[in-house]
Amino acid sequence: MTGNTHIVGGIAASLAFAQITNYNPVILVGAGIIGALIPDICHGGSTIGRKFPIVSRLVNGIFGHRSFTHSLVFLLLMGALLHSFLTNESITAGILIGMSSHFILDMATKNGIKLLFPLKVTVRFPLTTRTGGAVENLVFAALSLLSVYFGYEAFAGYF
């Protein structure tokens, strides 16, 4: 999936999570966007890879694309690090939700992800799509609509 689809996926997932928690939805969404981009640090052409090219080259050189940074091991490691160093649970939750949404969206692509890294098993859904294709545009539109719906519900009490 492209960076924009991951961003909208992180927004939709964060706002949906806001429905069932008391976390601040603004913080959840901001952190969800960041989390939705983090796994692609392993790809130099990604939104985050272009911002941090040296880190991106290093991570890609060690692990390759869609392996360690797209795995449950990385998600758990990030959760432990965030819990240790951040006091705001909304930020930690948002980042982890954004990362999870990224994993789910990339499992819908033909290349899938190495969710069970270090095992070399590729995980993908039975029906997949091509990154940047027409189906991804439909996914983007659906996630945008879900973001509006969940956003209305999350912020209804603020207005």
Side-chain angles (χ1 to χ4, degrees), residues 13-34:
S14 298
L15 288 170
F17 188 69
Q19 303 298 306
I20 59 170
T21 67
N22 291 322
Y23 292 138
N24 183 320
V26 174
I27 294 173
L28 273 176
V29 168
I33 291 169
I34 292 167

Side-chain angles (χ1 to χ4, degrees), residues 2-154:
T2 62
N4 287 336
T5 302
H6 283 305
I7 289 170
V8 173
I11 292 169
S14 298
L15 288 170
F17 188 69
Q19 303 298 306
I20 59 170
T21 67
N22 291 322
Y23 292 138
N24 183 320
V26 174
I27 294 173
L28 273 176
V29 168
I33 291 169
I34 292 167
L37 296 174
I38 288 173
D40 274 345
I41 192 64
C42 62
H43 181 17
S46 69
T47 302
I48 194 167
R50 289 190 307 270
K51 299 285 184 204
F52 302 98
I54 295 170
V55 175
S56 180
R57 274 189 234 111
L58 179 65
V59 172
N60 185 281
I62 295 170
F63 299 108
H65 183 48
R66 291 190 178 182
S67 62
F68 173 66
T69 62
H70 287 70
S71 71
L72 294 175
V73 171
F74 185 63
L75 187 69
L76 293 172
L77 179 64
M78 287 294 292
L81 288 172
L82 292 167
H83 181 71
S84 296
F85 294 105
L86 294 178
T87 58
N88 189 319
E89 291 181 14
S90 295
I91 296 173
T92 298
I95 289 173
L96 296 177
I97 289 163
M99 289 175 63
S100 298
S101 74
H102 184 110
F103 294 177
I104 291 167
L105 287 169
D106 275 358
M107 286 191 297
T109 64
K110 293 184 187 305
N111 292 334
I113 62 173
K114 303 289 190 257
L115 185 66
L116 304 174
F117 180 89
L119 299 177
K120 297 190 185 297
V121 177
T122 299
V123 177
R124 64 179 156 259
F125 293 125
L127 297 174
T128 60
T129 186
R130 184 177 53 84
T131 299
V135 173
E136 181 176 346
N137 291 334
L138 292 173
V139 169
F140 179 87
L143 289 170
S144 297
L145 289 173
L146 283 172
S147 295
V148 171
Y149 173 75
F150 288 131
Y152 176 77
E153 293 293 321

